[in-house]
């Protein structure tokens, strides 16, 4: 796979590609893109960026891939501490953290391993934390038609941490509550209590 990609890049003109643009950026920064340590950096950055934004090429159907099962189960299902890494759309710098996802099935459940994949699909795009949180909730709502979905996202933003701004707010928590999680305080509280166990959230 890797070799194939390198061949494609050698044949393709650097001009107009991400790698070509990176070469210009390096020069703008006062660097010498030809020096040994940097000579392959533009291509590496392109490969990395394409991977980190690979979520644009994924869709829900492909990710869920039929892993929906009919069951009679109407208790809360919760997947905690799903690690994610994303890029903020304002600075193209990483923000990363954990997501906690819960839903209450109506007729369908989803294979548990699929939930982190849904998170990845949206995290590997240029994002803001609020939209990422909403999209994960909305996606599960549409795919499962459950009684409700709750998503809590705790993240740290390098654009804040590294630039020295608002260090005290570099950790942000967002949530999206749909259906029963929005309309029933008890449901929401149960979710929050489950998340708070062994987690920073709720400290
Ligand atoms: Zn940012």
């Amino acid at each position: 796979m890797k070799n194939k990609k390198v061949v494609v890049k050698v044949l393709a003109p650097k001009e107009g590609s991400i790698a070509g643009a990176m070469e210009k950026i390096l020069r703008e920064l006062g660097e010498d893109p030809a020096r040994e340590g940097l000579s392959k950096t533009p291509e590496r950055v392109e490969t990395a960026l394409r991977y980190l934004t690979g979520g644009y090429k994924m869709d829900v159907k492909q990710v869920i891939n039929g892993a929906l099962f009919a069951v009679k189960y109407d208790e809360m299902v919760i997947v905690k501490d799903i690690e994610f890494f994303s890029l903020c759309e304002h600075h193209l710098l990483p923000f990363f953290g954990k997501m906690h996802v819960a839903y209450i099935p109506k007729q369908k459940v989803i294979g548990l391993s699929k939930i982190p994949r849904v998170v990845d699909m949206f995290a590997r795009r240029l994002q803001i934390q609020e939209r990422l949180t909403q999209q994960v909730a909305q996606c599960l709502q549409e795919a499962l038609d459950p009684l409700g979905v709750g998503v809590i996202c705790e993240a740290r933003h390098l654009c804040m941490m590294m630039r020295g701004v608002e260090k005290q707010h570099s950790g942000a928590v967002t949530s999206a509550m749909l259906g029963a999680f929005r309309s029933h305080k008890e449901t929401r509280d149960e979710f929050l209590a489950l998340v708070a166990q062994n987690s920073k959230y709720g400290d």
Side-chain angles (χ1 to χ4, degrees):
M1 269 278 274
K2 263 184 188 168
N3 286 339
K4 212 174 180 182
K5 273 190 180 168
V6 172
V7 172
V8 169
K9 268 164 217 156
V10 171
L11 295 175
K14 257 191 186 178
E15 203 60 34
S17 63
I18 293 174
M22 269 315 300
E23 211 176 296
K24 280 185 198 144
I25 289 170
L26 288 173
R27 228 174 259 121
E28 283 298 320
L29 293 172
E31 266 291 358
D32 169 16
R35 77 173 167 83
E36 204 190 344
L38 289 177
S39 65
K40 293 208 169 66
T41 295
E43 279 84 1
R44 286 195 200 99
V45 174
E46 173 155 3
T47 305
L49 275 178
R50 291 204 188 278
Y51 175 77
L52 297 174
T53 57
Y56 289 119
K57 291 187 177 150
M58 300 179 198
D59 65 54
V60 188
K61 268 194 187 157
Q62 172 201 341
V63 166
I64 293 177
N65 192 24
L68 295 177
F69 309 100
V71 286
K72 287 200 169 170
Y73 183 79
D74 60 0
E75 296 294 326
M76 190 179 295
V77 177
I78 174 164
V79 181
K80 278 173 62 169
D81 299 327
I82 302 168
E83 266 196 341
F84 74 89
F85 298 87
S86 191
L87 289 174
C88 89
E89 67 182 16
H90 300 136
H91 305 92
L92 303 192
L93 287 171
F95 69 97
F96 57 94
K98 285 175 181 175
M99 247 193 231
H100 314 290
V101 176
Y103 70 100
I104 302 173
K106 195 151 64 183
Q107 281 141 356
K108 284 183 272 184
V109 295
I110 184 171
L112 287 181
S113 68
K114 298 296 180 185
I115 292 179
R117 298 204 58 207
V118 167
V119 171
D120 270 351
M121 175 177 77
F122 291 111
R124 288 191 196 146
R125 299 176 186 196
L126 303 185
Q127 281 289 9
I128 59 171
Q129 186 180 337
E130 293 87 339
R131 189 175 60 223
L132 172 60
T133 310
Q134 273 295 335
Q135 284 177 333
V136 170
Q138 210 67 51
C139 175
L140 292 171
Q141 180 69 37
E142 281 162 26
L144 292 167
D145 187 30
L147 295 175
V149 178
V151 177
I152 292 169
C153 176
E154 314 170 36
R156 306 182 76 194
H157 293 249
L158 287 191
C159 62
M160 286 173 150
M161 296 162 74
M162 292 181 76
R163 296 185 314 141
V165 277
E166 303 184 69
K167 274 198 203 292
Q168 68 274 29
H169 297 311
S170 61
V173 181
T174 49
S175 67
M177 303 288 167
L178 304 176
F181 288 79
R182 175 171 285 265
S183 57
H184 288 83
K185 189 182 179 302
E186 307 77 47
T187 303
R188 202 162 53 236
D189 287 347
E190 184 186 344
F191 177 37
L192 296 178
L194 286 167
V195 167
Q197 288 171 7
N198 308 318
S199 165
K200 270 195 275 176
Y201 190 80
D203 279 356

